[in-house]
């Protein structure tokens, strides 16, 4: 990737609805070479998909819960069951395996505490867990899907 590719990525991360001609003008290319670069970035897996970002409050899932999970079981079979359980819960929008004291971290979006309680019950019913700790976000201070591109090369 060169500086133009990085500029194209920056533009697309902010607004992927722009026409190729608009992007090309911003990076100093004509439309066809700009389109080719975008296609190369897609083929290389740098651009993985284009999506619409939805306002969580307007679709009634404005409560964010961070769920820390600890387990005393670390077998492949247990992990596959746990992963399937988590992936089957649509309210879980992010799911990470962690280092340190917490084994897994989930980000859950729901309308309220009662809805989270239903998610929690689905989570604990699916697998054997040692500890589940939930923290409710009080205020969203920063939310972005744009990745920092200063490290790209």
């Amino acid at each position: 990737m060169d500086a133009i590719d990085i500029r194209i990525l920056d533009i697309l991360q902010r607004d992927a609805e722009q026409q190729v001609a608009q992007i090309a003008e911003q990076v100093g290319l004509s439309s066809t070479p700009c389109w080719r670069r975008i296609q190369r970035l897609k083929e290389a897996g740098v651009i993985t998909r284009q999506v619409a970002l939805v306002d969580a409050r307007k679709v009634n899932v404005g409560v964010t819960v961070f769920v820390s999970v600890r387990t005393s079981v670390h077998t492949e079979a247990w992990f596959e069951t746990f992963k399937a359980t988590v992936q089957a819960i649509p309210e879980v929008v992010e799911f990470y395996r962690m280092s340190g004291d917490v084994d897994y971290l989930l980000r859950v979006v729901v309308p309220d505490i009662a809805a989270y309680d239903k998610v929690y019950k689905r989570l604990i019913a699916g697998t054997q867990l040692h500890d589940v700790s939930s923290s409710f976000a009080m205020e969203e201070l920063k939310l972005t899907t744009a990745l920092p591109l200063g490290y790209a090369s």
Side-chain angles (χ1 to χ4, degrees):
M1 280 193 300
D2 63 13
I4 293 174
D5 289 334
I6 291 170
R7 287 176 56 205
I8 289 170
L9 289 173
D10 183 53
I11 291 165
L12 290 172
Q13 283 192 118
R14 285 184 279 116
D15 181 5
E17 288 188 335
Q18 290 189 55
Q19 300 296 318
V20 173
Q22 294 171 300
I23 298 167
E25 184 179 319
Q26 293 174 65
V27 300
L29 293 174
S30 61
S31 291
T32 301
C34 184
W35 179 85
R36 285 190 190 119
R37 283 177 178 262
I38 292 169
Q39 295 311 305
R40 265 198 321 262
L41 290 166
K42 288 178 180 179
E43 290 165 6
V46 177
I47 298 172
T48 58
R49 64 185 173 221
Q50 292 178 248
V51 300
L53 299 178
V54 177
D55 185 316
R57 288 170 204 80
K58 292 186 178 171
V59 294
N60 198 30
V61 288
V63 175
T64 298
V65 188
F66 294 95
V67 182
S68 302
V69 175
R70 291 177 50 214
T71 181
S72 56
V73 181
H74 295 279
T75 65
E76 186 68 23
W78 178 90
F79 172 71
E80 291 302 325
T81 300
F82 180 60
K83 184 169 81 169
T85 298
V86 172
Q87 289 177 336
I89 302 172
E91 293 87 350
V92 177
V93 294
E94 294 182 58
F95 174 34
Y96 301 95
R97 186 169 58 87
M98 306 295 290
S99 67
D101 292 336
V102 171
D103 294 310
Y104 300 94
L105 182 65
L106 291 69
R107 185 168 73 90
V108 176
V109 294
V110 289
D112 52 35
I113 293 173
Y116 173 68
D117 190 48
K118 291 177 184 173
V119 170
Y120 172 81
K121 288 175 181 173
R122 286 181 66 191
L123 184 65
I124 64 171
T127 50
Q128 177 186 354
L129 303 174
H130 175 70
D131 181 56
V132 178
S133 177
S134 306
S135 298
F136 289 80
M138 301 301 290
E139 180 180 10
E140 181 182 285
L141 301 173
K142 179 180 180 179
L143 174 65
T144 182
T145 61
L147 299 175
L149 299 173
Y151 301 97
S153 57

